[in-house]
Amino acid sequence: MAFTPTNLTDWIRSDKYHNHFLIPPNDALTAAVKLSEQNQFASYAVSEAQGKFLNLVAKSIQARRILEIGTLGGYSTIWLANALPDDGELVTCEISEDFAKIAQININNAGLMDKVKIIVGPAMTTLPNINPNASFDLAFIDADKQSNVEYFIQAKRLVRKRGVIIVDNVVRNGRVADPKQNDPHIEGVRKLLEYIKNDSTVEATTLGTAGEKGYDGFLYAVNMSSIN
Ligand code: DHB
Ligand code: MG
């Protein structure tokens, strides 16, 4: 079967079509998108279908503790925290005080203030200070791409054996694989891929996604180290 190339218009239509069957409207998520749009950063959040995917991964592994690096407006935070049991906890790191304030509004609006803790400050500084009694089941990395390796190393330290680490934006419209491209975000993804290649205690794959946020992808990794 031959496929003709498609474009963003087709991907948006396709996402909307599938979501209409599979993802019921959620007022708190809709409000979070609206508030993010008013603050001009909605486009950096994951798509609705990707948010649901994160939620389902968390449910599949019965996650009780989730770590997020890069809160932004809290859109993925809400999707993830909605998968937690009553006594579950999500810790999310955000560098910007302004974003954290907006995220907190969105999280409160979703009724998740008791489950979600926002740590404000550069994750490079705050993550090494996290030493929980219980390890995390799942980590979602979606912050500055230059620091992907450092964040991944910290996530691996904090996530239990066979816990999952998902990294956003590892395809970037195919530019990560294009040798002509060398901006620091793309280099940050390449360094992560190189790091994982040389780390025998992690198994990973890239899941390319084309949808309303364009052509990008998640890196899906499982922590196979025995230290946790
Ligand atoms: C960018 C960052 C993101 O996390 C994302 O999902 C899309 C774009 C960016 O920095 O351009
Ligand atoms: Mg992202």
Side-chain angles (χ1 to χ4, degrees):
M1 183 171 173
F3 292 99
T4 48
T6 56
N7 58 37
L8 183 62
T9 307
D10 300 312
W11 306 338
I12 292 170
R13 180 184 60 196
S14 191
D15 248 359
K16 286 195 187 316
Y17 182 83
H18 286 256
N19 292 349
H20 156 79
F21 292 100
L22 306 175
I23 311 180
N26 176 305
D27 289 344
L29 285 165
T30 306
V33 170
K34 204 168 168 190
L35 196 56
S36 300
E37 275 168 356
Q38 284 161 5
N39 289 277
Q40 273 95 46
F41 60 77
S43 62
Y44 296 141
V46 298
S47 72
E48 199 177 7
Q50 289 169 332
K52 176 77 181 279
F53 175 76
L54 294 172
N55 174 280
L56 291 176
V57 170
K59 283 177 180 152
S60 302
I61 64 169
Q62 297 177 49
R64 308 181 76 82
R65 296 177 46 75
I66 299 173
L67 174 69
E68 183 181 58
I69 305 171
T71 317
L72 203 65
Y75 182 78
S76 51
T77 318
I78 294 171
W79 271 113
L80 285 164
N82 272 336
L84 289 169
D86 286 346
D87 62 346
E89 189 185 22
L90 186 151
V91 175
T92 182
C93 301
E94 175 53 48
I95 191 168
S96 156
E97 230 169 277
D98 291 342
F99 288 168
K101 273 184 198 150
I102 290 165
Q104 191 66 62
I105 293 168
N106 291 330
I107 288 157
N108 295 355
N109 189 38
L112 292 164
M113 48 282 196
D114 294 335
K115 284 184 190 168
V116 176
K117 185 180 172 210
I118 305 177
I119 298 179
V120 182
M124 203 78 96
T125 312
T126 59
L127 280 170
N129 294 326
I130 302 178
N131 287 298
N133 296 326
S135 57
F136 291 90
D137 303 292
L138 170 65
F140 178 54
I141 302 175
D142 189 13
D144 63 294
K145 316 309 171 195
Q146 298 96 310
S147 310
N148 267 337
V149 169
E150 287 79 5
Y151 297 156
F152 191 84
I153 290 168
Q154 287 296 324
K156 239 190 108 200
R157 177 178 73 84
L158 292 162
V159 164
R160 68 169 162 85
K161 188 181 185 191
R162 295 203 184 232
V164 174
I165 304 171
I166 297 176
V167 186
D168 195 24
N169 311 114
V170 298
V171 172
R172 299 189 80 94
N173 208 29
R175 286 184 297 142
V176 169
D178 177 354
K180 292 193 290 295
Q181 305 285 336
N182 59 4
D183 81 53
H185 304 276
I186 284 170
E187 289 295 348
V189 177
R190 289 180 184 149
K191 280 184 197 141
L192 176 64
L193 293 168
E194 190 65 33
Y195 179 85
I196 293 174
K197 182 185 177 187
N198 293 311
D199 182 348
S200 61
T201 63
V202 65
E203 293 183 22
T205 193
T206 296
L207 203 62
T209 53
E212 59 194 355
K213 298 286 169 127
Y215 169 39
D216 214 318
F218 282 145
L219 183 109
Y220 190 111
V222 176
N223 186 2
M224 303 302 289
S225 70
S226 55
I227 46 170
N228 290 320

